[in-house]
Amino acid sequence: MRLGGPAAYLAHVHSPADVVEGVAWAEARNLPVIMVGGGSNIIWRDEGFAGLVLVNRIPGFELAEEGGQVRLTVGAGENWDSVVARSVAAGAAGIERLSLIPGTAGATPVQNVGAYGQEVADALVSVEAYDRKARRFVRIPAAECGFGYRRSRFNQADRGRFFITALTLRLVREQPRGPFYPSLARYLAERGLSRPTLQQVRDAVIAIRRARLPDPAQVANSGSFFRNPIVSDRHAAELLGRYPDMPHWPVPGGGVKLAAGWLIDQAGFRGVTDAETGMGTWPAQALVLVNRAAGSTADLLRFRQKVQDEVLRRFGVLLEQEPELLP
Ligand code: EPU
């Protein structure tokens, strides 16, 4: 978002040993420590951060065959899309629909990155991390990561506790199989790709994302700014009575997921620029807040409030912010 105050200290870490050294350096000075990847899903507070930011640059990309499957171990500091590109080039499926997502590999389990019907949790075997509480490196199996929609223990109960250093993923040597997410299915069908290759799925996702989402290198944004809300069956039925065309997906186990982008769009906020705060939303996807001319995180939070208030007033749904607000 290109907002927020400065950090007192910042260091790039290139190995697990660097992480230990960075933590020790900060502890010796009684300073708090935060680890970041690409920073694309972080909103920094205007006060800045009176501590040490460790920027994860730990490299690594190792593919190993394992009984018809592929085991991929990557350093947390690798660029995520380059990990996807190399997996696809190697004929390994499982993360191709997560193409062009900004940020580093190590950040993907934190919010359980997901797009076009795939989630990183589906392919993840385990993460390696420095456990600040136990003061040692641990390997956490996927089943113990507390994964849910845009959630994990790393952004919930154990927020800030683990500094992720590596991921192990299980991929498969298979051609992509449907059903595909609606926009992806439509894109493939329009091009007559009834049996797309992995590369064709990756290319399709990239084309769809480029058409719908702003490039953070050019327009300051953090992708989807809110989680898609899950409401009760009763609430959904009431809304569907008023808005029969409202996109909605029943959630296994109860409740109905709604499209935050649709709610914001209907509330009149698609493609707007708010004169008071300099914030706005992307014309092709109202769920993406963009910084057009905002001067501070306070401006962003004021605009967030306007969007939340209006969606709450019209639909009775309180939207929950998705990017992390730090520190
Ligand atoms: N819609 C509107 N108006 C809008 C935006 C969306 O009417 O301005 C409608 C769409 O027509 C569609 C529905 O809302 O019927 C859902 O929209 P879309 O398919 O674009 O997906 P989304 O739910 O808005 C989620 C993820 C995206 C991910 C896409 C594709 C969340 C919070 N967001 O968006 O993730 O790329 O699905 O899988 O779950 C991100 O997290 O940064 C991100 C881009």
Side-chain angles (χ1 to χ4, degrees):
M1 282 293 187
R2 304 194 183 95
L3 294 171
Y9 300 95
L10 181 142
H12 291 81
V13 293
H14 299 273
S15 67
D18 283 356
V19 176
V20 176
E21 194 183 330
V23 169
W25 184 91
E27 283 178 351
R29 289 159 182 80
N30 257 324
L31 294 171
V33 195
I34 293 178
M35 177 173 279
V36 304
S40 47
N41 207 47
I42 296 174
I43 309 297
W44 294 100
R45 287 185 203 272
D46 289 321
E47 301 85 283
F49 179 55
L52 171 64
V53 175
L54 296 177
V55 183
N56 196 320
R57 289 289 176 268
I58 300 174
F61 185 90
E62 260 174 70
L63 273 175
E65 299 297 327
E66 199 182 64
Q69 295 188 328
V70 177
R71 200 178 172 84
L72 172 62
T73 301
V74 292
E78 291 283 336
N79 173 275
W80 172 254
D81 189 54
S82 126
V83 169
V84 176
R86 284 177 278 172
S87 307
V88 166
I95 52 175
E96 64 283 354
R97 300 185 204 179
L98 306 180
S99 290
L100 210 65
I101 287 174
T104 55
T108 60
V110 176
Q111 54 154 321
N112 184 19
V113 156
Y116 307 103
Q118 264 174 1
E119 278 183 350
V120 78
D122 303 333
L124 195 79
V125 175
S126 61
V127 309
E128 281 164 55
Y130 181 72
D131 180 350
R132 302 204 53 208
K133 201 161 146 192
R135 308 179 69 81
R136 63 185 171 86
F137 285 93
V138 292
R139 175 186 292 273
I140 308 172
E144 288 169 28
C145 290
F147 286 129
Y149 164 66
R150 290 289 194 277
R151 277 191 169 73
S152 75
R153 66 190 288 189
F154 310 116
N155 70 7
Q156 303 288 317
D158 286 321
R159 190 165 174 249
R161 172 172 165 187
F162 296 101
F163 289 164
I164 297 175
T165 52
L167 309 184
T168 298
L169 303 165
R170 188 178 296 116
L171 305 175
V172 290
R173 290 212 181 277
E174 277 174 19
Q175 286 309 301
R177 255 181 297 171
F180 295 108
Y181 188 86
S183 53
L184 180 56
R186 211 174 313 122
Y187 184 95
L188 294 169
E190 278 165 13
R191 282 152 191 84
L193 299 169
S194 54
R195 298 181 62 195
T197 63
L198 276 178
Q199 186 64 50
Q200 285 168 333
V201 170
R202 170 169 164 78
D203 292 345
V205 167
I206 289 174
I208 296 166
R209 287 189 73 97
R210 287 217 168 112
R212 294 233 37 208
L213 301 167
D215 176 356
Q218 272 146 36
V219 180
N221 80 92
S222 298
S224 300
F225 197 82
F226 300 100
R227 292 185 171 93
N228 283 330
I230 295 170
V231 301
S232 68
D233 296 337
R234 201 171 139 186
H235 191 165
E238 185 266 315
L239 288 174
L240 281 164
R242 282 196 279 150
Y243 307 95
D245 298 333
M246 178 180 73
H248 63 286
W249 304 270
V251 177
V256 178
K257 194 193 268 188
L258 307 182
W262 184 90
L263 297 170
I264 297 167
D265 187 346
Q266 293 293 309
F269 281 102
R270 178 151 62 88
V272 301
T273 299
D274 180 50
E276 188 203 337
T277 60
M279 289 295 302
T281 62
W282 191 240
Q285 168 53 292
L287 185 49
V288 178
L289 266 52
V290 293
N291 172 9
R292 298 284 188 193
S296 66
T297 300
D299 285 337
L300 181 154
L301 298 180
R302 245 195 322 275
F303 182 65
R304 176 188 74 180
Q305 194 67 48
K306 290 185 186 190
V307 173
Q308 283 174 323
D309 287 351
E310 189 56 18
V311 168
L312 185 64
R313 193 180 71 76
R314 292 211 193 190
F315 303 101
V317 175
L318 180 60
L319 294 177
E320 191 186 338
Q321 179 173 322
E322 201 274 325
E324 218 179 336
L325 186 62
L326 286 177

